[in-house]
Amino acid sequence: TFLSRNSSSGVSLYGRGHTTPLIDNSATSIHLTMNLSKSALTTLVGLISASSTTAFTPSASRAARSIASRGLSSVNTAWTRRAASTVSSSCRNVSGGTALKANVLKLTEPAKDFLPNVDVFIFDCDGVIWRGDSVIEGIPETLAKLRSLGKKMYFVTNNSTKSRAGYKKKFDSLGLSDVPAEEIFSSSFAAAAYLEQTKFKDSGKKVYVIGEVGIQEELDLIGVDHFGGPEDGGKKPDMGPGCKLDHDPDVGAVVVGFDRNINYYKIQYAQLCINENPGCEFIATNTDAVTHLTDAQEWAGNGSMVGAIKGCTGKEPTVVGKPSPLMIDYLCEKLGLDRGRICMVGDRLDTDVLFGTDNGLKSVLVLSGVTTEEKLLSQENTITPDFYADSIVDFFVDETAAVEAKA
């Protein structure tokens, strides 16, 4: 029996000596021969029948497309290793009673398999560097080790409540003063960068802000007129008979970021601008479902604010934070970075890891934030990083193991 796998995530299962596949959802196949016992075959058929798409990672699909474009000279070795790992892992998990279908490797030998292939790390902050107002154990030492290896680092957060200058103060307060402001990129900065790239200032229009001071400070730096934000936090519209809320017809964009003082006045003002001002753009710093305001629990994220505006306008926003390509395009263009040598490290599948897989980067998911190992490896998950680890401290797990062995 042999398994056939193609670059568009197709799967075929053939009986030995047969040209008609037992299971086939593929068009163009690369064949990998492997002997299977009857029980393993039964398990494999069940896995493929249940869901062929989750058996293959986005990075595997990209690799296949890349291989196809260069020729098939190195196909057999690379695909055989990956397919054997997939089948072995899937069969092992099924026999244990849990169908874990994501093909993700836990980082165990970073000095050999990982660190030599990365020149630049892009770290998410919440859930990776800190939780709430507490730095995660071992982070300062790990960042220092990476710098000693000559690795470049950038810290990209979807939290828009602070500007780059504001985040610099937070890094300093957590004992991470070695991180310069130039390495920090927030979604508030991304919103300002987007408006700058689209030459919004030349339009003479204003921005209405749902959000906090981070967005306002970044807009000040590019000279764009704005209002709203914290100043509208205590406002209530008069909703008596015949009353209405007047809005500024010169608002050309509404930027929605995380806002701990969101209220009905802000929602109504935003929907009037978007629905009634011709060409008014709806911009979201991010659509994160939850966030870490404290280290005690998860809190509703900016996705709830963006959802309110989507609900009353029927419009989809331009999202400037992860997983949007805007920030990685900006970094690569401004700093001359090679995407193939960049690794995105985060705690969220639908923002951080997707940001990596969608933009041609390596990716690592850490379990120090919102995503559990069970969710990562579940059959429902279709977003898979190249590796996962308990935290970025595990980037030196083999070094730690060697020290402990000597002791």
Side-chain angles (χ1 to χ4, degrees), residues 292-304:
H292 289 112
L293 295 181
T294 69
D295 57 2
Q297 64 180 179
E298 293 177 353
W299 298 77
N302 193 46
S304 60

Side-chain angles (χ1 to χ4, degrees), residues 350-373:
D350 58 351
T351 55
D352 301 322
V353 174
L354 197 61
F355 179 73
T357 58
D358 280 359
N359 293 293
L361 316 178
K362 297 175 176 63
S363 61
V364 172
L365 180 90
V366 290
L367 305 177
S368 50
V370 301
T371 305
T372 64
E373 186 174 38

Side-chain angles (χ1 to χ4, degrees), residues 159-180:
N159 192 325
S160 63
T161 59
K162 296 179 177 65
S163 61
R164 296 175 81 180
Y167 272 109
K168 171 57 180 167
K169 292 178 181 177
K170 179 162 186 173
F171 274 90
D172 291 347
S173 71
L174 294 175
L176 301 170
S177 56
D178 289 343
V179 177

Side-chain angles (χ1 to χ4, degrees), residues 20-54:
T20 302
L22 300 173
I23 297 173
D24 186 12
N25 69 344
S26 61
T28 304
S29 299
I30 300 170
H31 299 286
L32 305 171
T33 302
M34 58 183 79
N35 293 317
L36 297 173
S37 68
K38 182 177 180 180
S39 60
L41 177 59
T42 301
T43 300
L44 183 58
V45 170
L47 284 170
I48 297 172
S49 299
S51 174
S52 63
T53 57
T54 57

Side-chain angles (χ1 to χ4, degrees), residues 199-219:
K199 301 187 184 303
F200 180 84
K201 184 179 179 180
D202 295 347
S203 71
K205 298 286 187 178
K206 305 172 188 176
V207 172
Y208 182 71
V209 176
I210 292 179
E212 302 189 12
V213 295
I215 297 171
Q216 294 175 312
E217 290 175 357
E218 294 292 353
L219 293 178

Side-chain angles (χ1 to χ4, degrees), residues 157-324:
T157 174
N158 266 357
N159 192 325
S160 63
T161 59
K162 296 179 177 65
S163 61
R164 296 175 81 180
Y167 272 109
K168 171 57 180 167
K169 292 178 181 177
K170 179 162 186 173
F171 274 90
D172 291 347
S173 71
L174 294 175
L176 301 170
S177 56
D178 289 343
V179 177
E182 293 75 23
E183 290 182 352
I184 304 169
F185 294 87
S186 65
S187 61
S188 53
F189 168 81
Y194 172 78
L195 291 170
E196 188 173 37
Q197 288 176 348
T198 57
K199 301 187 184 303
F200 180 84
K201 184 179 179 180
D202 295 347
S203 71
K205 298 286 187 178
K206 305 172 188 176
V207 172
Y208 182 71
V209 176
I210 292 179
E212 302 189 12
V213 295
I215 297 171
Q216 294 175 312
E217 290 175 357
E218 294 292 353
L219 293 178
D220 286 339
L221 291 175
I222 62 171
V224 167
D225 193 14
H226 61 85
F227 65 101
E231 289 75 17
D232 285 354
K235 293 183 178 180
K236 296 180 180 180
D238 187 348
M239 292 180 282
C243 292
K244 67 173 185 176
L245 178 62
D246 293 322
H247 74 285
D248 190 335
D250 289 330
V251 170
V254 173
V255 175
V256 181
F258 184 76
D259 191 332
R260 280 167 282 203
N261 294 299
I262 186 75
N263 58 32
Y264 189 71
Y265 178 94
K266 295 181 181 183
I267 294 171
Q268 173 65 357
Y269 202 101
Q271 77 86 8
L272 288 171
C273 293
I274 295 170
N275 284 337
E276 298 188 10
N277 291 359
C280 183
E281 189 163 8
F282 174 18
I283 301 168
T285 60
N286 67 87
T287 57
D288 292 0
V290 295
T291 188
H292 289 112
L293 295 181
T294 69
D295 57 2
Q297 64 180 179
E298 293 177 353
W299 298 77
N302 193 46
S304 60
M305 289 88 184
V306 174
I309 307 305
K310 285 173 61 176
C312 59
T313 63
K315 305 282 181 64
E316 289 292 329
T318 297
V319 181
V320 296
K322 296 172 293 184
S324 164

Side-chain angles (χ1 to χ4, degrees), residues 120-123 153-156 182-183 185 331 335 337:
V120 179
F121 285 97
I122 297 178
F123 292 110
M153 287 176 279
Y154 298 96
F155 301 86
V156 176
E182 293 75 23
E183 290 182 352
F185 294 87
L331 285 170
L335 304 173
L337 304 180

